[in-house]
Amino acid sequence: MRGLLVIIPLLLCGVVSAQLIPPYIADYHVRVEVSSDTTLTVTETIVVNFGTVERHGIYRKILYRYQRAVKGVPLRYNLRLRLLSVTDGQGRAWKAKAWREGGYAVGRIGDPHRTVRGTQVYRLSYRVTRAINYFDTHDELYWNATGNEWEWGIVRAACETVLPASGDPNRLRATFYTGYY
């Protein structure tokens, strides 16, 4: 009897702790295709594990207007973004609403009348212009692949960049950063 009394509270603790695990992004894959006219086609595949938490979907914020210093000179950037599609892992469309707010393009992805839980896949595809920066000595793609505005942690992230065939691979230099900028 004493053993049974110990097992029941432990089982209850396991059920309660499983319900308290917050949602997290299990996998985040970004594919950036650079065309010869410098337009980017970005496809993000975001795998979110909501666990037992019921949510309507996700918000995605992409910084499109920002300023950064290059060699001490402040430069302003103003990207152009156009949403192409938002689907799940099987290619079915998610409901999505997009707007601009404080230098960000914001997307609300999901159905306001239906909740989801467990693992969900969100695949966003959008086109970007004005993302290539031109300097005297080089051209630059400065891209924050995942963004810093997520309310949950990201377990695994990868970014794949596909360049046009016309480029000289011997002149290519790549630098990667993690964390906030």
Side-chain angles (χ1 to χ4, degrees):
M1 183 67 171
R2 186 172 260 265
L4 184 60
L5 291 176
V6 170
I7 291 174
I8 290 174
L10 288 176
L11 289 174
L12 290 175
C13 287
V15 170
V16 170
S17 68
Q19 292 176 352
L20 297 178
I21 296 173
Y24 62 93
I25 299 171
D27 191 42
Y28 200 131
H29 184 267
V30 180
R31 180 181 171 94
V32 179
E33 296 179 48
V34 183
S35 70
S36 58
D37 70 354
T38 71
T39 300
L40 308 183
T41 301
V42 181
T43 303
E44 301 183 7
T45 303
I46 307 164
V47 179
V48 179
N49 187 335
F50 291 107
T52 58
V53 176
E54 291 190 354
R55 296 289 296 249
H56 293 279
I58 64 171
Y59 285 91
R60 174 66 171 109
K61 294 174 79 173
I62 300 170
L63 189 63
Y64 75 90
R65 187 178 332 140
Y66 61 96
Q67 182 174 316
R68 73 179 246 243
V70 175
K71 295 184 179 178
V73 178
L75 298 175
R76 291 183 180 186
Y77 297 89
N78 195 7
L79 306 176
R80 302 286 191 255
L81 293 104
R82 192 180 90 207
L83 184 63
L84 301 174
S85 66
V86 181
T87 61
D88 66 8
Q90 281 74 44
R92 294 180 300 244
W94 279 106
K95 287 188 177 184
K97 180 178 180 180
W99 66 92
R100 296 186 186 277
E101 179 180 287
Y104 288 92
V106 181
R108 182 180 66 202
I109 304 163
D111 189 334
H113 305 292
R114 186 176 74 99
T115 59
V116 295
R117 61 180 159 187
T119 301
Q120 302 294 322
V121 177
Y122 300 89
R123 185 166 289 125
L124 291 72
S125 183
Y126 52 95
R127 190 149 293 133
V128 183
T129 58
R130 302 179 71 181
I132 304 293
N133 304 315
Y134 301 98
F135 298 98
D136 292 337
T137 59
H138 66 284
D139 299 334
E140 170 189 75
L141 170 60
Y142 185 79
W143 192 252
N144 186 339
T146 61
N148 299 324
E149 293 73 26
W150 289 99
E151 60 183 301
W152 314 302
I154 300 172
V155 175
R156 184 175 62 192
C159 181
E160 168 187 13
T161 305
V162 180
L163 300 174
S166 61
D168 180 1
N170 295 322
R171 297 185 62 204
L172 180 66
R173 271 193 353 222
T175 304
F176 302 92
Y177 304 96
T178 61
Y180 287 86
Y181 61 96

Coordinates of all heavy atoms in Angstrom, one line a residue, residues 25 28 30 42 44 46 59-64 104-105 126 143-154 157-159 177-181:
I25 N 10.3 25.8 -30.8 CA 10.6 25.6 -32.2 C 11.6 24.4 -32.2 O 12.8 24.6 -31.9 CB 11.1 26.8 -32.9 CG1 10.0 27.9 -32.8 CG2 11.5 26.5 -34.3 CD1 10.5 29.3 -33.3
Y28 N 14.1 24.7 -37.5 CA 13.9 25.9 -38.2 C 14.9 25.9 -39.4 O 16.1 26.0 -39.2 CB 14.2 27.2 -37.4 CG 13.6 28.5 -37.8 CD1 12.9 29.2 -36.9 CD2 13.7 28.9 -39.1 CE1 12.3 30.5 -37.3 CE2 13.2 30.1 -39.5 CZ 12.5 30.9 -38.6 OH 12.0 32.1 -39.0
V30 N 15.9 27.5 -43.1 CA 15.7 28.6 -44.0 C 16.5 28.3 -45.3 O 17.7 28.0 -45.2 CB 16.2 29.9 -43.4 CG1 16.0 31.1 -44.3 CG2 15.5 30.2 -42.1
V42 N 12.9 33.4 -50.3 CA 13.1 32.8 -49.0 C 12.0 31.8 -48.7 O 10.8 32.2 -48.7 CB 13.3 33.9 -47.9 CG1 13.6 33.3 -46.5 CG2 14.3 34.9 -48.3
E44 N 11.0 29.4 -45.4 CA 11.2 29.0 -44.1 C 10.3 27.9 -43.7 O 9.1 27.9 -43.9 CB 10.9 30.2 -43.1 CG 11.7 31.4 -43.4 CD 11.4 32.5 -42.4 OE1 10.6 32.3 -41.4 OE2 11.9 33.7 -42.6
I46 N 9.3 25.9 -40.4 CA 9.3 26.1 -39.0 C 8.5 25.0 -38.4 O 7.3 24.9 -38.6 CB 8.8 27.5 -38.6 CG1 9.5 28.6 -39.3 CG2 8.9 27.7 -37.1 CD1 8.8 29.9 -39.3
Y59 N 3.2 33.8 -34.7 CA 3.5 35.2 -35.3 C 4.9 35.1 -35.8 O 5.8 34.6 -35.2 CB 3.4 36.3 -34.3 CG 2.0 36.6 -33.9 CD1 1.3 36.0 -32.8 CD2 1.3 37.6 -34.6 CE1 0.0 36.3 -32.5 CE2 0.0 37.9 -34.2 CZ -0.6 37.3 -33.2 OH -1.9 37.6 -32.8
R60 N 5.1 35.7 -37.0 CA 6.5 35.8 -37.6 C 6.7 37.3 -37.9 O 6.0 37.9 -38.5 CB 6.6 34.9 -38.8 CG 7.9 35.1 -39.6 CD 9.1 34.5 -38.8 NE 10.3 34.5 -39.6 CZ 11.3 35.3 -39.4 NH1 11.3 36.2 -38.5 NH2 12.4 35.2 -40.2
K61 N 7.8 37.8 -37.3 CA 8.2 39.2 -37.5 C 9.5 39.2 -38.2 O 10.5 38.5 -37.8 CB 8.4 39.9 -36.1 CG 7.1 40.0 -35.4 CD 7.3 40.6 -34.0 CE 7.5 42.1 -34.1 NZ 7.5 42.7 -32.8
I62 N 9.5 40.0 -39.3 CA 10.8 40.1 -40.1 C 11.1 41.6 -40.2 O 10.3 42.4 -40.6 CB 10.5 39.6 -41.6 CG1 10.1 38.1 -41.5 CG2 11.8 39.8 -42.4 CD1 9.7 37.5 -42.8
L63 N 12.3 41.9 -39.8 CA 12.8 43.3 -39.8 C 13.0 43.7 -41.2 O 13.8 43.1 -42.0 CB 14.1 43.4 -39.0 CG 14.7 44.8 -38.7 CD1 13.7 45.6 -37.9 CD2 16.0 44.7 -38.1
Y64 N 12.3 44.7 -41.7 CA 12.5 45.2 -43.1 C 13.1 46.6 -43.1 O 13.6 47.0 -44.2 CB 11.2 45.1 -43.9 CG 10.2 46.2 -43.5 CD1 10.2 47.4 -44.2 CD2 9.3 46.1 -42.5 CE1 9.3 48.4 -43.9 CE2 8.4 47.0 -42.2 CZ 8.4 48.2 -42.9 OH 7.5 49.2 -42.6
Y104 N 8.9 46.4 -38.8 CA 8.7 44.9 -39.0 C 7.6 44.6 -40.0 O 6.5 45.3 -39.9 CB 8.4 44.2 -37.7 CG 9.6 44.1 -36.8 CD1 9.8 45.1 -35.8 CD2 10.5 43.1 -36.8 CE1 10.9 45.1 -35.0 CE2 11.6 43.0 -36.0 CZ 11.8 44.0 -35.1 OH 12.9 44.0 -34.2
A105 N 7.7 43.6 -40.8 CA 6.6 42.9 -41.4 C 6.2 41.8 -40.5 O 7.0 41.0 -40.1 CB 7.1 42.3 -42.8
Y126 N 8.5 33.8 -49.3 CA 8.4 35.2 -49.6 C 9.5 35.7 -50.5 O 10.6 35.1 -50.5 CB 8.2 36.0 -48.4 CG 9.2 35.9 -47.3 CD1 10.4 36.7 -47.3 CD2 9.1 34.9 -46.4 CE1 11.3 36.5 -46.3 CE2 10.1 34.7 -45.4 CZ 11.2 35.5 -45.4 OH 12.1 35.4 -44.4
W143 N 21.7 39.0 -43.8 CA 20.4 38.4 -43.6 C 20.3 37.7 -42.2 O 21.1 36.9 -41.9 CB 20.1 37.4 -44.7 CG 18.7 36.9 -44.7 CD1 18.2 35.7 -44.3 CD2 17.6 37.7 -45.1 NE1 16.8 35.7 -44.5 CE2 16.4 36.9 -45.0 CE3 17.4 39.0 -45.6 CZ2 15.2 37.3 -45.3 CZ3 16.2 39.4 -46.0 CH2 15.1 38.6 -45.8
N144 N 19.3 38.1 -41.5 CA 19.0 37.5 -40.2 C 18.0 36.3 -40.5 O 16.8 36.6 -40.6 CB 18.4 38.5 -39.2 CG 18.3 37.9 -37.8 OD1 18.2 36.7 -37.6 ND2 18.2 38.8 -36.8
A145 N 18.5 35.1 -40.6 CA 17.7 34.0 -41.1 C 16.5 33.7 -40.2 O 15.4 33.4 -40.7 CB 18.6 32.7 -41.2
T146 N 16.6 33.7 -38.9 CA 15.5 33.3 -38.0 C 14.8 34.5 -37.3 O 13.7 34.3 -36.9 CB 16.0 32.3 -36.9 OG1 17.0 33.0 -36.1 CG2 16.6 31.0 -37.5
G147 N 15.5 35.6 -37.3 CA 15.0 36.7 -36.5 C 15.2 36.5 -35.0 O 15.5 35.4 -34.6
N148 N 15.0 37.6 -34.3 CA 15.2 37.5 -32.8 C 14.0 37.7 -32.0 O 14.0 37.9 -30.8 CB 16.2 38.6 -32.4 CG 17.5 38.5 -33.1 OD1 18.0 37.4 -33.3 ND2 18.2 39.6 -33.5
E149 N 12.8 37.7 -32.7 CA 11.6 38.1 -32.0 C 10.7 37.0 -31.6 O 9.5 37.2 -31.4 CB 10.8 39.1 -33.0 CG 11.5 40.4 -33.2 CD 12.7 40.3 -34.1 OE1 12.8 39.4 -34.9 OE2 13.6 41.2 -33.9
W150 N 11.2 35.8 -31.5 CA 10.4 34.6 -31.2 C 10.1 34.6 -29.7 O 11.0 34.9 -28.9 CB 11.1 33.3 -31.6 CG 11.1 33.2 -33.1 CD1 12.1 33.5 -33.9 CD2 10.0 32.8 -33.9 NE1 11.7 33.3 -35.2 CE2 10.4 32.8 -35.2 CE3 8.7 32.3 -33.6 CZ2 9.6 32.5 -36.3 CZ3 7.9 32.0 -34.7 CH2 8.3 32.0 -36.0
E151 N 8.9 34.2 -29.3 CA 8.6 34.1 -27.9 C 9.0 32.8 -27.3 O 8.9 32.5 -26.1 CB 7.0 34.3 -27.7 CG 6.2 33.3 -28.4 CD 4.7 33.5 -28.2 OE1 4.2 33.6 -27.1 OE2 4.0 33.7 -29.2
W152 N 9.5 31.8 -28.2 CA 9.9 30.5 -27.7 C 11.4 30.3 -28.2 O 11.9 30.9 -29.1 CB 9.1 29.4 -28.3 CG 7.6 29.7 -28.2 CD1 6.9 29.9 -27.0 CD2 6.7 29.7 -29.2 NE1 5.6 30.1 -27.3 CE2 5.4 30.0 -28.7 CE3 6.8 29.6 -30.6 CZ2 4.3 30.1 -29.5 CZ3 5.7 29.7 -31.4 CH2 4.4 30.0 -30.8
G153 N 12.0 29.3 -27.5 CA 13.4 28.9 -27.9 C 13.4 28.1 -29.2 O 12.4 27.5 -29.6
I154 N 14.5 28.2 -29.9 CA 14.7 27.4 -31.1 C 15.8 26.3 -30.8 O 16.9 26.6 -30.4 CB 15.2 28.3 -32.2 CG1 14.2 29.4 -32.5 CG2 15.5 27.5 -33.5 CD1 14.7 30.5 -33.5
A157 N 18.5 25.2 -35.8 CA 18.3 26.1 -36.9 C 19.4 25.9 -38.0 O 20.5 25.6 -37.6 CB 18.3 27.6 -36.5
A158 N 19.0 26.0 -39.2 CA 19.9 25.9 -40.3 C 19.5 26.9 -41.4 O 18.3 27.1 -41.6 CB 20.0 24.5 -40.9
C159 N 20.5 27.5 -42.1 CA 20.2 28.4 -43.2 C 21.0 27.9 -44.4 O 22.3 27.7 -44.3 CB 20.6 29.8 -42.9 SG 20.2 31.0 -44.2
Y177 N 27.0 34.7 -38.1 CA 26.9 35.1 -36.7 C 25.7 34.5 -36.0 O 24.7 34.1 -36.7 CB 26.7 36.7 -36.6 CG 27.8 37.4 -37.4 CD1 27.5 37.8 -38.7 CD2 29.0 37.7 -36.8 CE1 28.5 38.6 -39.4 CE2 29.9 38.5 -37.4 CZ 29.7 38.9 -38.7 OH 30.7 39.6 -39.4
T178 N 25.8 34.4 -34.7 CA 24.6 33.9 -33.9 C 24.3 34.9 -32.8 O 25.2 35.6 -32.4 CB 24.8 32.5 -33.3 OG1 25.9 32.5 -32.4 CG2 25.1 31.4 -34.4
G179 N 23.1 34.9 -32.3 CA 22.8 35.8 -31.3 C 22.2 37.1 -31.8 O 21.9 37.2 -33.0
Y180 N 22.0 38.0 -30.9 CA 21.4 39.3 -31.2 C 22.5 40.2 -31.8 O 23.6 40.1 -31.6 CB 20.8 40.0 -30.0 CG 19.6 39.3 -29.5 CD1 19.6 38.3 -28.6 CD2 18.3 39.8 -29.9 CE1 18.5 37.6 -28.2 CE2 17.2 39.2 -29.5 CZ 17.3 38.1 -28.6 OH 16.1 37.5 -28.2
Y181 N 22.0 41.1 -32.7 CA 22.9 42.1 -33.3 C 22.6 43.5 -32.9 O 21.6 43.7 -32.3 CB 22.9 42.0 -34.8 CG 21.6 42.3 -35.5 CD1 21.3 43.5 -36.0 CD2 20.6 41.3 -35.6 CE1 20.1 43.8 -36.6 CE2 19.4 41.6 -36.2 CZ 19.2 42.8 -36.7 OH 18.0 43.1 -37.3

